[in-house]
Amino acid sequence: MSHARITLDRDFTIADVPARLFGSFVEHMGRCVYTGIYEPGHPEADDQGYRKDVMALAKELGATVVRYPGGNFVSGYNWEDGVGPRQDRPVRIDGAWHTIETNAFGLHEFVEWARRADMEVMEAINLGTRGVDEARALVEYANHPSGTYWSDLRRKNAAAMGTSEEPFGIKLWCLGNELDGPWQIGHKTAEEYGRLAQETAKAMKLVDPAIELVAVGSSNRRMPTFGSWEHTVLTHAYEEVDYISMHAYYQEHDGDAASFLAEAVDMDGFIEGVIATVDAVKAAGKHSKQIDISFDEWNVWYQEGLDTEDQPDQVAKGWNTHPRLIEDKYSVTDAVVVGTLMHSLLRHGDRVRIANQAQLVNVIAPIRSEEGGPAWRQTIFWPFARIAELATGEIMRLAVQADQVHTERYGDVDVVDAASTYDAEAGTVSLFVANRGLEEPAEVSLDLRGLAAKSILRAEVLRIPEGGDRHAANDLQTPEAVGLVPLDGIRLEESTEGAGVHLSLPALSWSVVQLKVG
């Protein structure tokens, strides 16, 4: 039996909960777009070919902002290919994923999909093979009202589609993608990218001064240029951009579940390292504005999905349209890790103001769908959905005292990982808590300072199902094998400060508790 004590003090807050922290990502990769969010002719397709079953799950997921169209895809993408009459759009090869892109789905289709899904669009531009002129043209096409070449072309194309001719009003823009990576089309040095980002940002903001821009940061913490890349890029572009990006993916290696369950320790360190670099550039350059973080790609993934029997290597199989790529099946273990990664993002919500789980459907995704068939929730759907729903108000600065579990990669870490929010207007506290212990349950006491628990509004747990193991997952045959169930081991307890809460957490579990407080 493990033990932990969590103390929450009403006066110890981190920041307001950023609405954009609960973002997702749609890339022209595999079946994310085609047979994912878009499948004309499907029984659930609407008048524009969007799958209503997938959209319903996307709304339930609670994603607030969605990044598009990539990802690696964007570094070789001509945005003009995806606008205008479909019959006139060119068919292209996509070098990033070695596939054929039909361009049947493009900017107008995505903006309309996002509008129907109640999500803000975060648009990425191609700074791999293209540059300043194409970027400013795209901003004019998307956001300028009318009376110019590009804005009038948008209105003409929208009218032909039967959608609104009004400006798209896209506020968030990514200045390319992972251009520090040698795998990227148009890979650049930090100096090359920093100057290009600076000049592109200037040109884009001359078209629309209200937009917010994200500069490309390191593709991951293990890049040989990590730290120096951010420093060089921001030395050039600090005044022109508003965010620096972060990307991180995690997976279990060689059955080392204990280290995998502690990956939020790595995310914490990664975030704090980038913040330190950003603030060093701010100080050295005597800047007054603050650059924040857009963690616009994160998730658990298993890249070998590219080479499994049902997802063969793309180069070997030739050029195909929307093949299966990285359609990972997620387990209970993966869901607990995703929950803790979201805790890390919340804990740093004062500086991580945007985050996008990659991707939304089919490709390393919380939602799966089959062509002509149903859609369903993966295990990782649940922590995201509940945190997106219940994390409101202010992020609390928790004090956690917990027993330790040993890991090969991170040494001794807390067996219990937690994050919390307090909504003064609603009078609620939401606690998100994981038990990393693979075998032992955890007894957890939540002490409230300056607040008292009046009642338990919700208590749910994601755990290993009866008769299952930590690899239990949802799939086409058993789409509801793993989900949230009532957390039985919870009770209010009186203390000198008022009523607190005692939790009994099953081994390897992620839980959410919402309290009415006064």
Side-chain angles (χ1 to χ4, degrees):
M1 183 81 66
S2 299
H3 297 84
R5 179 181 177 183
I6 301 171
T7 303
L8 181 155
D9 191 305
R10 168 63 189 89
D11 294 327
F12 292 176
T13 63
I14 295 173
D16 63 296
V17 177
R20 290 167 168 170
L21 201 65
F22 313 113
S24 190
F25 180 28
V26 168
E27 181 174 0
H28 283 251
M29 176 184 178
R31 298 192 311 116
C32 186
V33 173
Y34 304 107
T35 74
I37 66 173
Y38 178 73
E39 189 179 338
H42 188 278
E44 290 284 336
D46 67 10
D47 62 304
Q48 291 291 332
Y50 309 133
R51 284 188 56 158
K52 292 184 290 186
D53 55 347
V54 172
M55 186 173 293
L57 290 177
K59 289 183 177 182
E60 183 186 347
L61 183 67
T64 53
V65 59
V66 59
R67 184 169 174 246
Y68 175 85
N72 293 353
F73 172 82
V74 79
S75 293
Y77 180 56
N78 299 331
W79 68 266
E80 303 93 330
D81 291 347
V83 302
R86 284 194 182 93
Q87 66 271 18
D88 296 336
R89 297 180 189 179
V91 174
R92 304 280 194 190
I93 62 170
D94 166 34
W97 302 116
H98 202 82
T99 57
I100 296 294
E101 174 55 53
T102 67
N103 285 304
F105 188 99
L107 181 60
H108 282 265
E109 287 82 7
F110 184 72
V111 168
E112 179 62 17
W113 181 89
R115 183 189 67 79
R116 297 186 186 196
D118 299 321
M119 297 183 197
E120 179 184 6
V121 172
M122 183 182 196
E123 181 74 10
I125 64 168
N126 177 0
L127 287 186
T129 62
R130 311 191 84 188
V132 177
D133 202 39
E134 294 83 4
R136 66 175 182 167
L138 177 52
V139 176
E140 181 183 328
Y141 184 92
N143 289 0
H144 196 71
S146 63
T148 67
Y149 174 80
W150 290 114
S151 61
D152 286 345
L153 183 59
R154 179 200 70 245
R155 295 176 65 90
K156 176 184 176 182
N157 290 335
M161 289 180 61
T163 57
S164 174
E165 298 177 25
E166 293 303 305
F168 297 153
I170 300 173
K171 294 299 182 186
L172 278 175
W173 297 79
C174 299
L175 296 170
N177 177 78
E178 293 186 356
L179 287 158
D180 64 323
W183 60 85
Q184 200 72 200
I185 298 173
H187 164 61
K188 293 172 173 56
T189 66
E191 285 284 348
E192 290 168 339
Y193 174 73
R195 286 290 297 123
L196 178 59
Q198 180 184 32
E199 293 305 315
T200 304
K202 284 164 55 179
M204 292 171 71
K205 285 191 172 181
L206 286 172
V207 177
D208 185 351
I211 60 177
E212 301 169 55
L213 301 178
V214 181
V216 168
S218 294
S219 298
N220 59 69
R221 196 182 186 188
R222 298 176 301 280
M223 296 297 293
T225 54
F226 170 59
S228 64
W229 172 276
E230 285 81 359
H231 193 282
T232 299
V233 168
L234 289 179
T235 297
H236 287 295
Y238 195 99
E239 284 299 322
E240 286 77 24
V241 303
D242 305 283
Y243 306 90
I244 188 82
S245 75
M246 294 179 64
H247 292 180
Y249 294 95
Y250 299 100
Q251 66 185 90
E252 183 176 332
H253 295 279
D254 302 321
D256 185 3
S259 294
F260 179 48
L261 287 161
E263 296 286 20
V265 173
D266 180 84
M267 181 178 271
D268 287 339
F270 188 13
I271 293 170
E272 289 156 16
V274 173
I275 290 171
T277 302
V278 170
D279 290 350
V281 176
K282 177 183 178 181
K286 301 179 176 61
H287 301 286
S288 58
K289 66 183 278 190
Q290 176 175 289
I291 297 292
D292 287 324
I293 290 170
S294 173
F295 214 131
D296 49 40
E297 285 189 35
W298 69 270
N299 206 350
V300 168
W301 73 354
Y302 297 91
Q303 292 186 70
E304 60 267 25
L306 282 167
D307 302 312
T308 57
E309 185 177 339
D310 65 331
Q311 300 173 68
D313 178 78
Q314 293 309 297
V315 176
K317 73 182 286 192
W319 298 93
N320 290 285
T321 59
H322 56 268
R324 293 178 184 269
L325 295 179
I326 323 184
E327 295 192 5
D328 290 336
K329 180 191 291 188
Y330 289 113
S331 69
V332 171
T333 312
D334 298 323
V336 174
V337 173
V338 163
T340 63
L341 296 178
M342 294 197 74
H343 298 173
S344 177
L345 295 171
L346 268 178
R347 287 192 292 262
H348 296 91
D350 57 331
R351 298 299 295 272
V352 181
R353 305 298 291 178
I354 305 167
N356 305 83
Q357 186 186 48
Q359 297 181 18
L360 180 64
V361 57
N362 288 331
V363 180
I364 51 173
I367 300 169
R368 284 289 308 275
S369 69
E370 282 299 330
E371 185 173 0
W376 66 94
R377 306 168 191 83
Q378 296 231 67
T379 61
I380 64 172
F381 180 98
W382 294 110
F384 189 109
R386 284 298 182 268
I387 296 178
E389 176 188 1
L390 299 179
T392 59
E394 297 176 288
I395 304 165
M396 306 308 291
R397 191 178 302 278
L398 300 179
V400 179
Q401 296 172 297
D403 290 344
Q404 303 280 289
V405 59
H406 181 71
T407 71
E408 291 298 320
R409 196 172 306 144
Y410 303 113
D412 293 338
V413 302
D414 287 347
V415 71
V416 167
D417 185 79
S420 182
T421 60
Y422 168 56
D423 190 325
E425 184 176 348
T428 58
V429 162
S430 296
L431 176 69
F432 314 104
V433 58
N435 178 6
R436 290 171 166 142
L438 286 163
E439 298 178 358
E440 294 186 346
E443 297 297 315
V444 179
S445 63
L446 172 64
D447 294 338
L448 302 173
R449 307 271 178 91
L451 295 168
K454 301 298 185 183
S455 63
I456 300 166
L457 300 177
R458 189 181 304 195
E460 297 173 310
V461 60
L462 187 147
R463 59 175 302 173
I464 296 171
E466 193 71 28
D469 59 27
R470 71 180 186 89
H471 302 293
N474 298 337
D475 56 26
L476 180 61
Q477 288 71 40
T478 56
E480 298 181 358
V482 179
L484 291 168
V485 297
L487 176 64
D488 295 326
I490 182 170
R491 65 180 185 271
L492 300 185
E493 290 189 331
E494 294 297 327
S495 69
T496 56
E497 293 288 328
V501 182
H502 184 86
L503 309 171
S504 296
L505 304 179
L508 188 62
S509 64
W510 180 88
S511 300
V512 55
V513 175
Q514 187 184 46
L515 305 170
K516 187 68 177 178
V517 297

